[in-house]
Short mmCIF file of all heavy atoms in Angstrom, two decimals:
data_model
loop_
_atom_site.label_atom_id
_atom_site.label_comp_id
_atom_site.label_asym_id
_atom_site.label_seq_id
_atom_site.Cartn_x
_atom_site.Cartn_y
_atom_site.Cartn_z
N MET A 1 36.68 100.47 83.99
CA MET A 1 35.32 101.02 83.95
C MET A 1 34.84 100.99 82.50
O MET A 1 35.54 101.39 81.59
CB MET A 1 35.34 102.45 84.49
CG MET A 1 34.01 103.13 84.40
SD MET A 1 33.98 104.85 84.98
CE MET A 1 34.59 104.70 86.63
N GLU A 2 33.63 100.51 82.33
CA GLU A 2 33.03 100.47 81.01
C GLU A 2 32.74 101.87 80.50
O GLU A 2 32.53 102.80 81.28
CB GLU A 2 31.68 99.74 81.07
CG GLU A 2 31.75 98.26 81.10
CD GLU A 2 30.36 97.66 81.08
OE1 GLU A 2 29.48 98.19 80.39
OE2 GLU A 2 30.16 96.66 81.78
N GLU A 3 32.69 102.01 79.18
CA GLU A 3 32.38 103.31 78.57
C GLU A 3 31.00 103.81 79.02
O GLU A 3 30.81 104.98 79.28
CB GLU A 3 32.45 103.22 77.05
CG GLU A 3 32.08 104.51 76.35
CD GLU A 3 32.96 105.70 76.75
OE1 GLU A 3 34.15 105.50 77.04
OE2 GLU A 3 32.44 106.83 76.79
N ARG A 4 30.08 102.88 79.13
CA ARG A 4 28.72 103.25 79.54
C ARG A 4 28.71 103.82 80.97
O ARG A 4 28.04 104.80 81.26
CB ARG A 4 27.82 102.02 79.44
CG ARG A 4 26.38 102.29 79.59
CD ARG A 4 25.60 101.01 79.35
NE ARG A 4 24.20 101.29 79.41
CZ ARG A 4 23.31 100.73 78.64
NH1 ARG A 4 23.65 99.84 77.75
NH2 ARG A 4 22.04 101.03 78.77
N GLU A 5 29.48 103.17 81.84
CA GLU A 5 29.60 103.64 83.22
C GLU A 5 30.25 105.02 83.27
O GLU A 5 29.81 105.90 84.01
CB GLU A 5 30.48 102.68 84.01
CG GLU A 5 29.80 101.91 85.11
CD GLU A 5 30.81 101.05 85.83
OE1 GLU A 5 31.27 100.05 85.23
OE2 GLU A 5 31.14 101.38 86.98
N ALA A 6 31.31 105.18 82.49
CA ALA A 6 32.03 106.46 82.43
C ALA A 6 31.11 107.57 81.93
O ALA A 6 31.12 108.68 82.45
CB ALA A 6 33.27 106.33 81.57
N ALA A 7 30.31 107.26 80.91
CA ALA A 7 29.38 108.25 80.36
C ALA A 7 28.34 108.65 81.41
O ALA A 7 27.97 109.82 81.52
CB ALA A 7 28.70 107.70 79.11
N GLU A 8 27.87 107.68 82.17
CA GLU A 8 26.89 107.97 83.22
C GLU A 8 27.51 108.89 84.28
O GLU A 8 26.89 109.86 84.71
CB GLU A 8 26.38 106.68 83.87
CG GLU A 8 25.35 106.93 84.94
CD GLU A 8 24.80 105.65 85.54
OE1 GLU A 8 24.30 104.78 84.77
OE2 GLU A 8 24.86 105.51 86.78
N LEU A 9 28.74 108.59 84.69
CA LEU A 9 29.41 109.41 85.69
C LEU A 9 29.65 110.83 85.18
O LEU A 9 29.50 111.79 85.94
CB LEU A 9 30.72 108.76 86.12
CG LEU A 9 30.58 107.51 86.97
CD1 LEU A 9 31.95 106.90 87.26
CD2 LEU A 9 29.85 107.81 88.27
N ARG A 10 30.01 110.96 83.91
CA ARG A 10 30.17 112.30 83.32
C ARG A 10 28.85 113.05 83.34
O ARG A 10 28.80 114.23 83.72
CB ARG A 10 30.69 112.21 81.88
CG ARG A 10 32.18 112.01 81.76
CD ARG A 10 32.66 112.22 80.33
NE ARG A 10 32.00 111.34 79.37
CZ ARG A 10 32.38 110.10 79.10
NH1 ARG A 10 33.42 109.58 79.70
NH2 ARG A 10 31.73 109.38 78.20
N SER A 11 27.78 112.37 82.98
CA SER A 11 26.46 113.01 82.97
C SER A 11 26.03 113.44 84.36
O SER A 11 25.48 114.52 84.55
CB SER A 11 25.41 112.05 82.39
OG SER A 11 25.66 111.83 81.03
N VAL A 12 26.30 112.60 85.35
CA VAL A 12 25.96 112.94 86.73
C VAL A 12 26.82 114.12 87.20
O VAL A 12 26.34 115.00 87.91
CB VAL A 12 26.09 111.71 87.65
CG1 VAL A 12 25.97 112.09 89.11
CG2 VAL A 12 25.02 110.68 87.28
N GLY A 13 28.07 114.17 86.79
CA GLY A 13 28.93 115.30 87.10
C GLY A 13 28.39 116.60 86.51
O GLY A 13 28.47 117.67 87.12
N GLU A 14 27.83 116.50 85.32
CA GLU A 14 27.23 117.67 84.68
C GLU A 14 25.99 118.13 85.44
O GLU A 14 25.67 119.32 85.42
CB GLU A 14 26.89 117.34 83.22
CG GLU A 14 28.13 117.17 82.36
CD GLU A 14 27.85 116.55 81.00
OE1 GLU A 14 26.67 116.27 80.69
OE2 GLU A 14 28.83 116.35 80.25
N VAL A 15 25.30 117.22 86.09
CA VAL A 15 24.16 117.59 86.93
C VAL A 15 24.64 118.52 88.04
O VAL A 15 24.03 119.55 88.30
CB VAL A 15 23.47 116.34 87.52
CG1 VAL A 15 22.46 116.72 88.60
CG2 VAL A 15 22.79 115.53 86.42
N VAL A 16 25.75 118.17 88.67
CA VAL A 16 26.32 119.02 89.72
C VAL A 16 26.61 120.40 89.15
O VAL A 16 26.25 121.42 89.76
CB VAL A 16 27.60 118.40 90.33
CG1 VAL A 16 28.25 119.36 91.32
CG2 VAL A 16 27.29 117.07 91.00
N ASP A 17 27.23 120.45 87.99
CA ASP A 17 27.56 121.74 87.36
C ASP A 17 26.31 122.58 87.11
O ASP A 17 26.29 123.77 87.44
CB ASP A 17 28.30 121.52 86.04
CG ASP A 17 29.66 120.89 86.21
OD1 ASP A 17 30.24 120.97 87.32
OD2 ASP A 17 30.16 120.31 85.22
N ARG A 18 25.29 121.97 86.54
CA ARG A 18 24.06 122.71 86.23
C ARG A 18 23.38 123.23 87.49
O ARG A 18 22.93 124.38 87.54
CB ARG A 18 23.09 121.84 85.44
CG ARG A 18 23.44 121.71 83.98
CD ARG A 18 22.32 121.10 83.16
NE ARG A 18 22.00 119.74 83.53
CZ ARG A 18 22.64 118.66 83.08
NH1 ARG A 18 23.66 118.80 82.26
NH2 ARG A 18 22.26 117.46 83.45
N LEU A 19 23.29 122.38 88.51
CA LEU A 19 22.63 122.80 89.74
C LEU A 19 23.44 123.87 90.47
O LEU A 19 22.86 124.78 91.07
CB LEU A 19 22.37 121.60 90.64
CG LEU A 19 21.35 120.59 90.12
CD1 LEU A 19 21.24 119.40 91.06
CD2 LEU A 19 19.99 121.23 89.90
N ALA A 20 24.76 123.79 90.40
CA ALA A 20 25.61 124.81 91.04
C ALA A 20 25.42 126.17 90.38
O ALA A 20 25.42 127.20 91.06
CB ALA A 20 27.07 124.38 91.00
N VAL A 21 25.22 126.18 89.08
CA VAL A 21 24.97 127.44 88.36
C VAL A 21 23.57 127.96 88.69
O VAL A 21 23.37 129.14 88.94
CB VAL A 21 25.14 127.25 86.84
CG1 VAL A 21 24.61 128.44 86.06
CG2 VAL A 21 26.61 127.00 86.50
N LYS A 22 22.61 127.05 88.70
CA LYS A 22 21.22 127.45 88.93
C LYS A 22 20.97 127.90 90.38
O LYS A 22 20.14 128.77 90.63
CB LYS A 22 20.28 126.30 88.58
CG LYS A 22 18.83 126.67 88.62
CD LYS A 22 17.96 125.63 87.98
CE LYS A 22 16.53 126.11 88.02
NZ LYS A 22 15.78 125.77 86.86
N TYR A 23 21.69 127.31 91.32
CA TYR A 23 21.50 127.61 92.75
C TYR A 23 22.83 128.05 93.37
O TYR A 23 23.41 127.34 94.20
CB TYR A 23 20.93 126.39 93.48
CG TYR A 23 19.61 125.94 92.91
CD1 TYR A 23 19.52 124.88 92.03
CD2 TYR A 23 18.44 126.63 93.23
CE1 TYR A 23 18.30 124.48 91.50
CE2 TYR A 23 17.22 126.24 92.70
CZ TYR A 23 17.16 125.17 91.83
OH TYR A 23 15.95 124.78 91.30
N PRO A 24 23.32 129.23 93.00
CA PRO A 24 24.64 129.67 93.47
C PRO A 24 24.72 129.90 94.98
O PRO A 24 25.82 129.91 95.54
CB PRO A 24 24.89 130.96 92.69
CG PRO A 24 23.54 131.45 92.31
CD PRO A 24 22.70 130.21 92.13
N SER A 25 23.60 130.08 95.64
CA SER A 25 23.63 130.30 97.09
C SER A 25 23.82 129.02 97.88
O SER A 25 24.07 129.06 99.08
CB SER A 25 22.35 131.01 97.55
OG SER A 25 21.23 130.18 97.36
N VAL A 26 23.71 127.87 97.21
CA VAL A 26 23.92 126.57 97.87
C VAL A 26 25.35 126.13 97.59
O VAL A 26 25.81 126.17 96.44
CB VAL A 26 22.91 125.52 97.36
CG1 VAL A 26 23.14 124.17 98.02
CG2 VAL A 26 21.48 125.99 97.59
N ASP A 27 26.06 125.74 98.62
CA ASP A 27 27.45 125.31 98.50
C ASP A 27 27.58 124.16 97.50
O ASP A 27 26.82 123.19 97.56
CB ASP A 27 27.95 124.88 99.88
CG ASP A 27 29.41 124.51 99.87
OD1 ASP A 27 30.24 125.39 99.53
OD2 ASP A 27 29.73 123.35 100.18
N ARG A 28 28.55 124.28 96.60
CA ARG A 28 28.75 123.27 95.56
C ARG A 28 29.01 121.89 96.18
O ARG A 28 28.54 120.88 95.65
CB ARG A 28 29.90 123.67 94.65
CG ARG A 28 30.10 122.72 93.49
CD ARG A 28 31.29 123.14 92.63
NE ARG A 28 31.48 122.19 91.57
CZ ARG A 28 30.87 122.22 90.40
NH1 ARG A 28 30.03 123.19 90.12
NH2 ARG A 28 31.10 121.30 89.49
N ALA A 29 29.74 121.85 97.28
CA ALA A 29 30.02 120.56 97.93
C ALA A 29 28.72 119.92 98.43
O ALA A 29 28.56 118.69 98.35
CB ALA A 29 30.99 120.75 99.09
N GLU A 30 27.80 120.72 98.91
CA GLU A 30 26.50 120.20 99.36
C GLU A 30 25.71 119.66 98.17
O GLU A 30 25.08 118.61 98.24
CB GLU A 30 25.72 121.30 100.09
CG GLU A 30 24.37 120.86 100.60
CD GLU A 30 24.44 119.85 101.74
OE1 GLU A 30 25.52 119.58 102.27
OE2 GLU A 30 23.38 119.31 102.09
N ILE A 31 25.75 120.40 97.07
CA ILE A 31 25.07 119.94 95.85
C ILE A 31 25.68 118.61 95.39
O ILE A 31 24.94 117.66 95.08
CB ILE A 31 25.16 121.00 94.73
CG1 ILE A 31 24.32 122.23 95.12
CG2 ILE A 31 24.72 120.42 93.38
CD1 ILE A 31 24.49 123.42 94.20
N ALA A 32 26.99 118.52 95.38
CA ALA A 32 27.67 117.28 94.97
C ALA A 32 27.28 116.12 95.89
O ALA A 32 27.07 115.00 95.42
CB ALA A 32 29.18 117.48 94.95
N ARG A 33 27.17 116.38 97.18
CA ARG A 33 26.78 115.34 98.14
C ARG A 33 25.37 114.84 97.85
O ARG A 33 25.09 113.64 97.83
CB ARG A 33 26.88 115.86 99.57
CG ARG A 33 26.61 114.81 100.64
CD ARG A 33 26.51 115.42 102.03
NE ARG A 33 25.37 116.31 102.17
CZ ARG A 33 24.09 115.91 102.27
NH1 ARG A 33 23.79 114.63 102.21
NH2 ARG A 33 23.12 116.78 102.42
N ILE A 34 24.46 115.78 97.60
CA ILE A 34 23.07 115.43 97.31
C ILE A 34 22.99 114.61 96.02
O ILE A 34 22.31 113.57 95.96
CB ILE A 34 22.19 116.70 97.21
CG1 ILE A 34 22.02 117.31 98.60
CG2 ILE A 34 20.84 116.40 96.56
CD1 ILE A 34 21.40 118.70 98.60
N VAL A 35 23.68 115.07 94.98
CA VAL A 35 23.66 114.35 93.70
C VAL A 35 24.23 112.95 93.89
O VAL A 35 23.68 111.97 93.36
CB VAL A 35 24.43 115.15 92.62
CG1 VAL A 35 24.65 114.31 91.37
CG2 VAL A 35 23.67 116.43 92.26
N ASP A 36 25.30 112.83 94.64
CA ASP A 36 25.90 111.52 94.90
C ASP A 36 24.92 110.60 95.62
O ASP A 36 24.77 109.44 95.24
CB ASP A 36 27.18 111.69 95.72
CG ASP A 36 27.93 110.38 95.88
OD1 ASP A 36 28.30 109.78 94.85
OD2 ASP A 36 28.15 109.96 97.04
N GLU A 37 24.24 111.12 96.64
CA GLU A 37 23.24 110.32 97.35
C GLU A 37 22.13 109.85 96.40
O GLU A 37 21.73 108.68 96.43
CB GLU A 37 22.61 111.11 98.49
CG GLU A 37 23.49 111.28 99.68
CD GLU A 37 22.85 112.13 100.77
OE1 GLU A 37 21.68 112.55 100.62
OE2 GLU A 37 23.54 112.39 101.78
N GLU A 38 21.64 110.77 95.59
CA GLU A 38 20.58 110.42 94.65
C GLU A 38 21.07 109.40 93.62
O GLU A 38 20.34 108.48 93.26
CB GLU A 38 20.04 111.67 93.95
CG GLU A 38 19.31 112.62 94.88
CD GLU A 38 18.07 112.03 95.52
OE1 GLU A 38 17.44 111.12 94.95
OE2 GLU A 38 17.72 112.49 96.63
N HIS A 39 22.30 109.55 93.18
CA HIS A 39 22.86 108.61 92.20
C HIS A 39 22.96 107.22 92.80
O HIS A 39 22.64 106.22 92.15
CB HIS A 39 24.24 109.12 91.75
CG HIS A 39 24.82 108.33 90.63
ND1 HIS A 39 26.15 108.02 90.57
CD2 HIS A 39 24.26 107.77 89.53
CE1 HIS A 39 26.38 107.31 89.47
NE2 HIS A 39 25.25 107.15 88.84
N HIS A 40 23.38 107.13 94.05
CA HIS A 40 23.51 105.81 94.69
C HIS A 40 22.16 105.13 94.94
O HIS A 40 22.12 103.92 95.14
CB HIS A 40 24.31 105.92 95.99
CG HIS A 40 25.78 106.05 95.73
ND1 HIS A 40 26.54 105.05 95.17
CD2 HIS A 40 26.63 107.08 95.93
CE1 HIS A 40 27.77 105.44 95.05
NE2 HIS A 40 27.86 106.68 95.49
N GLU A 41 21.09 105.87 94.88
CA GLU A 41 19.76 105.26 94.99
C GLU A 41 19.50 104.27 93.85
O GLU A 41 18.65 103.39 93.95
CB GLU A 41 18.66 106.33 94.99
CG GLU A 41 18.59 107.14 96.26
CD GLU A 41 18.16 106.31 97.46
OE1 GLU A 41 17.24 105.47 97.32
OE2 GLU A 41 18.76 106.49 98.53
N PHE A 42 20.25 104.42 92.75
CA PHE A 42 20.05 103.56 91.58
C PHE A 42 21.08 102.44 91.50
O PHE A 42 21.10 101.70 90.52
CB PHE A 42 20.09 104.42 90.31
CG PHE A 42 18.95 105.38 90.25
CD1 PHE A 42 19.11 106.69 90.70
CD2 PHE A 42 17.71 105.00 89.78
CE1 PHE A 42 18.06 107.59 90.68
CE2 PHE A 42 16.65 105.88 89.76
CZ PHE A 42 16.82 107.18 90.21
N ASP A 43 21.92 102.30 92.53
CA ASP A 43 22.90 101.20 92.54
C ASP A 43 22.18 99.86 92.43
O ASP A 43 21.14 99.64 93.05
CB ASP A 43 23.71 101.22 93.84
CG ASP A 43 24.72 102.36 93.88
OD1 ASP A 43 24.89 103.05 92.86
OD2 ASP A 43 25.33 102.55 94.95
N GLY A 44 22.73 98.99 91.61
CA GLY A 44 22.19 97.65 91.46
C GLY A 44 21.00 97.52 90.53
O GLY A 44 20.50 96.43 90.31
N ARG A 45 20.57 98.62 89.99
CA ARG A 45 19.44 98.57 89.04
C ARG A 45 19.98 98.27 87.64
O ARG A 45 21.01 98.78 87.24
CB ARG A 45 18.67 99.88 89.05
CG ARG A 45 18.25 100.29 90.45
CD ARG A 45 16.77 100.35 90.60
NE ARG A 45 16.41 100.68 91.97
CZ ARG A 45 15.76 101.77 92.32
NH1 ARG A 45 15.39 102.64 91.41
NH2 ARG A 45 15.46 101.98 93.58
N ASN A 46 19.26 97.48 86.90
CA ASN A 46 19.73 97.05 85.58
C ASN A 46 19.61 98.12 84.51
O ASN A 46 20.51 98.31 83.71
CB ASN A 46 18.98 95.80 85.14
CG ASN A 46 19.31 94.61 86.01
OD1 ASN A 46 20.41 94.53 86.54
ND2 ASN A 46 18.38 93.70 86.16
N VAL A 47 18.50 98.79 84.45
CA VAL A 47 18.28 99.79 83.41
C VAL A 47 18.93 101.10 83.86
O VAL A 47 18.58 101.65 84.89
CB VAL A 47 16.77 99.98 83.14
CG1 VAL A 47 16.55 101.06 82.09
CG2 VAL A 47 16.15 98.67 82.69
N ARG A 48 19.89 101.60 83.08
CA ARG A 48 20.67 102.77 83.47
C ARG A 48 20.45 103.96 82.54
O ARG A 48 20.98 105.04 82.80
CB ARG A 48 22.16 102.43 83.45
CG ARG A 48 22.58 101.20 84.23
CD ARG A 48 22.33 101.26 85.69
NE ARG A 48 23.04 102.35 86.33
CZ ARG A 48 22.97 102.61 87.62
NH1 ARG A 48 22.24 101.85 88.40
NH2 ARG A 48 23.62 103.61 88.13
N ASP A 49 19.67 103.80 81.49
CA ASP A 49 19.56 104.83 80.45
C ASP A 49 19.11 106.19 80.97
O ASP A 49 19.57 107.21 80.48
CB ASP A 49 18.60 104.38 79.35
CG ASP A 49 19.12 103.17 78.59
OD1 ASP A 49 20.34 102.93 78.63
OD2 ASP A 49 18.31 102.47 77.97
N PHE A 50 18.24 106.23 81.93
CA PHE A 50 17.67 107.50 82.38
C PHE A 50 18.16 107.92 83.77
O PHE A 50 17.63 108.86 84.35
CB PHE A 50 16.14 107.42 82.37
CG PHE A 50 15.60 107.10 81.02
CD1 PHE A 50 15.12 105.84 80.73
CD2 PHE A 50 15.59 108.06 80.02
CE1 PHE A 50 14.63 105.53 79.46
CE2 PHE A 50 15.12 107.78 78.75
CZ PHE A 50 14.63 106.50 78.48
N VAL A 51 19.17 107.23 84.29
CA VAL A 51 19.65 107.52 85.64
C VAL A 51 20.05 108.99 85.80
O VAL A 51 19.60 109.65 86.74
CB VAL A 51 20.78 106.56 86.06
CG1 VAL A 51 21.48 107.04 87.31
CG2 VAL A 51 20.21 105.16 86.27
N PRO A 52 20.86 109.58 84.91
CA PRO A 52 21.22 110.98 85.11
C PRO A 52 20.02 111.93 85.16
O PRO A 52 19.98 112.86 85.97
CB PRO A 52 22.13 111.30 83.92
CG PRO A 52 22.73 109.98 83.57
CD PRO A 52 21.61 108.99 83.80
N VAL A 53 19.03 111.69 84.34
CA VAL A 53 17.82 112.53 84.32
C VAL A 53 17.07 112.39 85.64
O VAL A 53 16.62 113.39 86.24
CB VAL A 53 16.90 112.16 83.13
CG1 VAL A 53 15.59 112.89 83.20
CG2 VAL A 53 17.61 112.41 81.81
N LEU A 54 16.93 111.18 86.11
CA LEU A 54 16.22 110.93 87.36
C LEU A 54 16.99 111.50 88.56
O LEU A 54 16.38 112.07 89.47
CB LEU A 54 15.97 109.43 87.54
CG LEU A 54 15.06 108.80 86.48
CD1 LEU A 54 15.07 107.29 86.61
CD2 LEU A 54 13.66 109.35 86.57
N VAL A 55 18.31 111.38 88.52
CA VAL A 55 19.14 111.95 89.58
C VAL A 55 18.97 113.46 89.61
O VAL A 55 18.79 114.06 90.68
CB VAL A 55 20.63 111.56 89.38
CG1 VAL A 55 21.54 112.40 90.26
CG2 VAL A 55 20.84 110.08 89.65
N GLU A 56 19.01 114.07 88.45
CA GLU A 56 18.87 115.54 88.39
C GLU A 56 17.52 115.99 88.93
O GLU A 56 17.44 116.95 89.69
CB GLU A 56 19.07 116.05 86.96
CG GLU A 56 19.04 117.56 86.88
CD GLU A 56 19.60 118.11 85.59
OE1 GLU A 56 19.91 117.33 84.67
OE2 GLU A 56 19.73 119.33 85.50
N LYS A 57 16.48 115.29 88.56
CA LYS A 57 15.14 115.67 89.02
C LYS A 57 15.05 115.60 90.55
O LYS A 57 14.56 116.54 91.20
CB LYS A 57 14.10 114.75 88.38
CG LYS A 57 12.69 115.12 88.71
CD LYS A 57 11.71 114.24 87.97
CE LYS A 57 10.30 114.65 88.34
NZ LYS A 57 9.30 113.94 87.62
N SER A 58 15.52 114.51 91.13
CA SER A 58 15.45 114.35 92.59
C SER A 58 16.36 115.33 93.31
O SER A 58 15.98 115.93 94.31
CB SER A 58 15.85 112.92 92.98
OG SER A 58 14.97 111.99 92.40
N ALA A 59 17.58 115.48 92.80
CA ALA A 59 18.54 116.38 93.45
C ALA A 59 18.07 117.82 93.35
O ALA A 59 18.23 118.60 94.30
CB ALA A 59 19.92 116.22 92.80
N LYS A 60 17.48 118.20 92.23
CA LYS A 60 17.00 119.58 92.05
C LYS A 60 15.96 119.94 93.11
O LYS A 60 16.01 121.03 93.68
CB LYS A 60 16.41 119.74 90.65
CG LYS A 60 15.98 121.14 90.35
CD LYS A 60 15.46 121.23 88.92
CE LYS A 60 14.99 122.64 88.61
NZ LYS A 60 14.49 122.73 87.23
N LYS A 61 15.07 119.03 93.41
CA LYS A 61 14.07 119.27 94.44
C LYS A 61 14.72 119.54 95.78
O LYS A 61 14.34 120.46 96.51
CB LYS A 61 13.12 118.07 94.57
CG LYS A 61 12.13 117.94 93.47
CD LYS A 61 11.25 116.73 93.70
CE LYS A 61 10.38 116.43 92.52
NZ LYS A 61 9.60 115.21 92.70
N ARG A 62 15.72 118.73 96.12
CA ARG A 62 16.39 118.87 97.41
C ARG A 62 17.21 120.16 97.48
O ARG A 62 17.19 120.85 98.49
CB ARG A 62 17.29 117.66 97.67
CG ARG A 62 16.49 116.39 97.92
CD ARG A 62 17.36 115.19 98.09
NE ARG A 62 18.26 115.32 99.22
CZ ARG A 62 19.23 114.45 99.50
NH1 ARG A 62 19.40 113.38 98.74
NH2 ARG A 62 20.01 114.64 100.55
N VAL A 63 17.92 120.48 96.40
CA VAL A 63 18.72 121.71 96.39
C VAL A 63 17.83 122.93 96.43
O VAL A 63 18.11 123.90 97.15
CB VAL A 63 19.65 121.72 95.15
CG1 VAL A 63 20.36 123.06 95.01
CG2 VAL A 63 20.69 120.59 95.23
N LYS A 64 16.75 122.91 95.69
CA LYS A 64 15.81 124.03 95.68
C LYS A 64 15.26 124.28 97.09
O LYS A 64 15.12 125.41 97.53
CB LYS A 64 14.68 123.74 94.70
CG LYS A 64 13.76 124.90 94.46
CD LYS A 64 12.74 124.57 93.39
CE LYS A 64 11.85 125.76 93.13
NZ LYS A 64 10.87 125.48 92.08
N ALA A 65 14.98 123.20 97.80
CA ALA A 65 14.47 123.32 99.18
C ALA A 65 15.54 123.95 100.08
O ALA A 65 15.20 124.75 100.96
CB ALA A 65 14.06 121.96 99.71
N LEU A 66 16.80 123.63 99.86
CA LEU A 66 17.88 124.23 100.65
C LEU A 66 17.99 125.72 100.37
O LEU A 66 18.22 126.51 101.28
CB LEU A 66 19.22 123.57 100.32
CG LEU A 66 19.49 122.21 100.91
CD1 LEU A 66 20.83 121.68 100.40
CD2 LEU A 66 19.51 122.28 102.41
N GLN A 67 17.84 126.10 99.12
CA GLN A 67 17.94 127.51 98.75
C GLN A 67 16.82 128.30 99.40
O GLN A 67 17.00 129.43 99.81
CB GLN A 67 17.89 127.69 97.24
CG GLN A 67 18.11 129.12 96.83
CD GLN A 67 18.05 129.33 95.34
OE1 GLN A 67 17.32 128.62 94.65
NE2 GLN A 67 18.81 130.27 94.83
N SER A 68 15.65 127.70 99.50
CA SER A 68 14.50 128.38 100.08
C SER A 68 14.59 128.48 101.60
O SER A 68 13.94 129.32 102.20
CB SER A 68 13.22 127.63 99.70
OG SER A 68 13.08 127.59 98.30
N ALA A 69 15.37 127.60 102.20
CA ALA A 69 15.46 127.56 103.68
C ALA A 69 16.24 128.73 104.24
O ALA A 69 16.98 129.38 103.67
CB ALA A 69 16.10 126.25 104.11
#
């Protein structure tokens, strides 16, 4: 695995951590599943610089909706 890929995966893992702290009523495994789904939306795309930020934004919306439900 390239260093760039590893750094992206670490950043995406940190997204799970941040959302789990922010939304403690939502199961961490569910948050991880959502983040993983959002991350895979960017598979095959060439530009990777902002993927963790975009994943966090999309996943946060979905997790927030779960907390409200």
Side-chain angles (χ1 to χ4, degrees):
M1 176 182 304
E2 280 183 38
E3 178 58 33
R4 190 175 184 143
E5 246 182 288
E8 181 177 305
L9 289 176
R10 279 192 302 275
S11 293
V12 170
E14 291 167 1
V15 169
V16 174
D17 294 338
R18 282 193 296 276
L19 292 177
V21 168
K22 187 167 182 143
Y23 301 100
S25 66
V26 179
D27 184 61
R28 184 182 178 86
E30 180 69 9
I31 292 171
R33 185 188 65 74
I34 289 169
V35 169
D36 187 58
E37 285 178 3
E38 293 298 333
H39 187 220
H40 283 294
E41 288 293 318
F42 295 95
D43 288 352
R45 307 243 177 117
N46 293 331
V47 178
R48 308 297 300 179
D49 295 339
F50 302 105
V51 167
V53 173
L54 297 171
V55 166
E56 184 164 7
K57 185 176 179 176
S58 299
K60 184 177 178 180
K61 286 180 189 176
R62 291 177 61 187
V63 172
K64 188 175 182 179
L66 283 176
Q67 185 181 31
S68 300

